[in-house]
Amino acid sequence: MQKRDREELKRNNAPLNGALKFFIGGCLAEIYLLMVRKYYVNGNIDQMLGWDAAMPTLMGVGAALLALGVVLAVVWRKERGWKQTVVWAGVFAGLFLSAGNWMVKAVYPTGVTVLTVLTAAAMLLGVLWCLYARECFFAMTILGTGLFATWVCRHGIGSQQWRILVIAGACVYLVLLAAAFMAARKLERTDGVLGALRILPKDTDGTVLMVSCGISAVAVVLSLFSAAIAYYAIWVLGIAIFILAVYYTVKEL
């Protein structure tokens, strides 16, 4: 096989290889979280105390990996191939071990459940980033974040301890949605304003992003008033995500 053919084959396989890396990384993270749940949440007293004592060390290791990944990213900023893989693996692993273990310890035991869902969502979004159009990735991110925000509203709006934090977080998310909506609207009107910043390609369909922002915003606002409404809003967002996934899967075929 000639060198040019090998390079072309490598370029064609790059999206699949990237998706496979996200999938393997997500599976390893989920296995670690299963161990945390088994021994730290559901284990006996000795296992729980052992994991609790090891948490600061694990967070320190994660912070060190994150710092190393950032340093290597600067040193190898022009490199590609395995060096780039090492950089991103260090950054993601460090962030997961440091921030993830802090969340597990700070919000015990609910933090394990939340982190398990977030890890699966991050893995899925990584696969989407590699295999699907950029607008699909951003729309899925908007709807997925809206689904998580709606779930938080449903479980936290009735709690006196979390009510203020939930409302504040929902307001921040709505502001971000408004900014995303305006950016998508500008993209739709001027054909590539965001593309000039290399966030989205010029042929991106801004309508999909605007609709995703609208559905997520309505779901979150209604969820602040009633846990029952939030339950049905979660289903609506889930159905919207499924329809979007089917649409872009068929489109990529």
Side-chain angles (χ1 to χ4, degrees), residues 9-244:
L9 181 62
K10 187 177 180 180
R11 286 194 300 269
N12 293 335
N13 290 335
L16 183 60
N17 291 334
L20 186 61
K21 291 173 184 176
F22 275 106
F23 178 76
I24 293 174
C27 289
L28 292 176
E30 292 290 354
I31 291 173
Y32 173 80
L33 291 174
L34 286 175
M35 294 174 60
V36 172
R37 182 179 295 278
K38 180 177 180 180
Y39 298 111
Y40 189 39
V41 177
N42 299 325
N44 57 46
I45 187 65
D46 292 331
Q47 293 170 337
M48 293 172 65
L49 291 176
W51 272 96
D52 189 71
M55 280 294 177
T57 302
L58 292 172
M59 285 186 276
V61 172
L65 282 175
L66 180 59
L68 179 61
V70 172
V71 171
L72 290 178
V74 175
V75 175
W76 291 343
R77 58 184 179 277
K78 295 182 180 180
E79 299 291 340
R80 294 293 182 268
W82 68 270
K83 290 184 178 180
Q84 190 179 45
T85 302
V86 169
V87 168
W88 285 111
V91 170
F92 283 122
L95 185 62
F96 176 79
L97 287 176
S98 56
N101 282 307
W102 173 84
M103 183 176 181
V104 168
K105 188 175 176 65
V107 194
Y108 181 88
T110 311
V112 181
T113 302
V114 173
L115 192 60
T116 301
V117 175
L118 291 180
T119 300
M123 177 181 67
L124 177 59
L125 290 175
V127 172
L128 290 176
W129 175 269
C130 295
L131 297 180
Y132 287 75
R134 290 292 179 263
E135 62 195 66
C136 177
F137 168 81
F138 284 103
M140 284 291 194
T141 301
I142 292 169
L143 291 172
T145 308
L147 184 64
F148 177 72
T150 304
W151 178 83
V152 171
C153 290
R154 179 171 183 260
H155 289 82
I157 198 65
S159 171
Q160 294 299 326
Q161 180 182 2
W162 297 101
R163 181 179 177 84
I164 296 177
L165 291 176
V166 169
I167 294 176
C171 290
V172 172
Y173 178 63
L174 290 173
V175 171
L176 293 176
L177 278 181
F181 181 88
M182 294 305 297
R185 188 176 178 216
K186 186 179 293 187
L187 174 67
E188 187 75 6
R189 285 187 170 186
T190 58
D191 189 24
V193 172
L194 292 182
L197 299 176
R198 296 186 180 181
I199 297 177
L200 295 173
K202 291 184 178 181
D203 58 348
T204 298
D205 185 5
T207 304
V208 175
L209 301 184
M210 288 189 287
V211 172
S212 300
C213 289
I215 294 175
S216 298
V218 171
V220 171
V221 170
L222 292 179
S223 299
L224 292 174
F225 294 96
S226 171
I229 296 177
Y231 173 80
Y232 292 104
I234 290 174
W235 276 98
V236 170
L237 289 172
I239 292 172
I241 290 173
F242 176 77
I243 293 174
L244 198 66

